[in-house]
Amino acid sequence: MLFRSEHSKLESFDKLQNGYEAIVNGHTIKSKKLILATHYPYFIFPLEFPLKSHIEVSYLGAKKVSKILDFSAINIDKPTISMRYHKDGENLYEIIVYNSFMSSNVSDIKKNFDELKKREELDYIWSNNDIMTNDFMPFIGSIKPGLYLATGYNTWGMTNGILAGRMIANMVLGKRDEYEDLFSLKRIINLSKILRFPVDVSASIISYIKGGKSCSDRVKYTTIDGVNVAIYKDELGIEHTVLNRCPHMKCGICFNEVEKTWDCMCHGSRFDLDGKCIEGPANYDIIYKKEC
Ligand SMILES: Cc1cc2nc3c(=O)[nH]c(=O)nc-3n(C[C@H](O)[C@H](O)[C@H](O)COP(=O)(O)OP(=O)(O)OC[C@H]3O[C@@H](n4cnc5c(N)ncnc54)[C@H](O)[C@@H]3O)c2cc1C
Ligand code: FES
């Protein structure tokens, strides 16, 4: 069974004696096997996955063009720049990816978008999250009997996602896959790769302590009736109030003035202007409801 989050959000799941019970849009679905391919795995014991990975935010732009080429390119230097063409119905676009940073650097988001805009005249701009693992290899495999995970594609999910599909199909059918050990979630990560670990952990701790406080001059952090909130005052003077901690692991949220979203600095959750969750791992909104 395939859950598409556009219409069916997996809210939680439990292990049964013979399979799993998933709560999707308030309904219960029972299955013998469950595959988690939700980008960042919200449902994994939080102290495990977040310490083996970090989020990188890339800055993207698209411009309308009159013709597209069967061509894409990526450089080998830093900052990473890549480009490709895309057809959407009658509309043709050139898409440019310019640079990426750890999500704990989101306070520079406006500066990063300005750099992108300096390069090209663009019709659209947006940012994207990728999950980077400590050893730059994806996590694909079984967590527990009947429970599978595919994530951590290190920006190469169109390629690794195909591999994950093949591997997990084999595992579900009880066949051994030749890459099972290589991408196992329980693999031993070599010492030099583990050196990445303190960087990821300290970035998360700094984000947690710092909260989003330095992200925007238009945001005020305060308490209302004992509830910690962040308030963004828009150009028309309208205030947008949200709860100021991310529901995933309580890190600080940062207001992204370019895309008008609240972005979590730890594992990439995003919320719209009024706090509706638009990207996980957080599975809940940060909408502030004033007590009557
Ligand atoms: C501009 C651009 C260019 C790229 N170019 C390449 C390339 O050339 N080659 C390459 O290999 N990769 C490329 N990538 C990277 C690749 O697109 C990503 O790595 C890949 O999409 C990640 O796949 P994923 O399945 O882990 O996550 P996603 O594609 O994000 O899919 C996860 C899905 O799970 C859903 N979901 C999340 N939470 C829940 C929930 N609780 N319940 C139900 N559903 C949920 C989401 O809505 C989403 O549909 C590019 C990315 C970008 C942005
Ligand atoms: S604390 Fe993990 S995404 Fe916010």
Side-chain angles (χ1 to χ4, degrees), residues 5 8 10 37-39 60 84 128 130 153 155-159:
S5 79
S8 41
L10 177 62
T38 56
H39 201 217
L60 298 99
R84 73 199 54 223
N128 176 66
D130 278 295
Y153 295 143
T155 78
W156 293 102
M158 280 148 65
T159 320

Side-chain angles (χ1 to χ4, degrees), residues 157-170:
M158 280 148 65
T159 320
N160 286 318
I162 304 285
L163 175 71
R166 198 198 77 173
M167 286 178 63
I168 291 180
N170 275 340

Side-chain angles (χ1 to χ4, degrees), residues 120-167:
E120 306 261 357
E121 284 282 315
L122 296 163
D123 295 303
Y124 304 95
I125 50 171
W126 72 101
S127 64
N128 176 66
N129 289 342
D130 278 295
I131 303 165
M132 315 299 285
T133 58
N134 291 351
D135 62 357
F136 311 111
M137 303 247 282
F139 286 120
I140 305 169
S142 164
I143 310 167
K144 292 179 182 172
L147 182 62
Y148 305 90
L149 177 71
T151 189
Y153 295 143
N154 293 272
T155 78
W156 293 102
M158 280 148 65
T159 320
N160 286 318
I162 304 285
L163 175 71
R166 198 198 77 173
M167 286 178 63

Side-chain angles (χ1 to χ4, degrees), residues 21 42 70 75 81 101 113 131 147 160-161 179 184 214 238 267 283:
E21 182 180 78
Y42 172 74
D70 184 14
N75 69 342
I81 305 170
F101 296 93
F113 271 117
I131 303 165
L147 182 62
N160 286 318
Y179 297 121
S184 163
S214 58
I238 299 167
H267 318 111
N283 223 6

Side-chain angles (χ1 to χ4, degrees), residues 40 42 50 55 204 208 245-253 263-271 279-282:
Y40 200 103
Y42 172 74
I55 295 283
S204 287
Y208 180 84
R245 287 279 165 186
C246 172
H248 179 227
M249 286 175 70
K250 309 289 177 217
C251 278
I253 47 162
D263 297 352
C264 178
M265 303 162 85
C266 282
H267 318 111
S269 291
R270 300 184 72 187
F271 309 86
E279 184 168 348

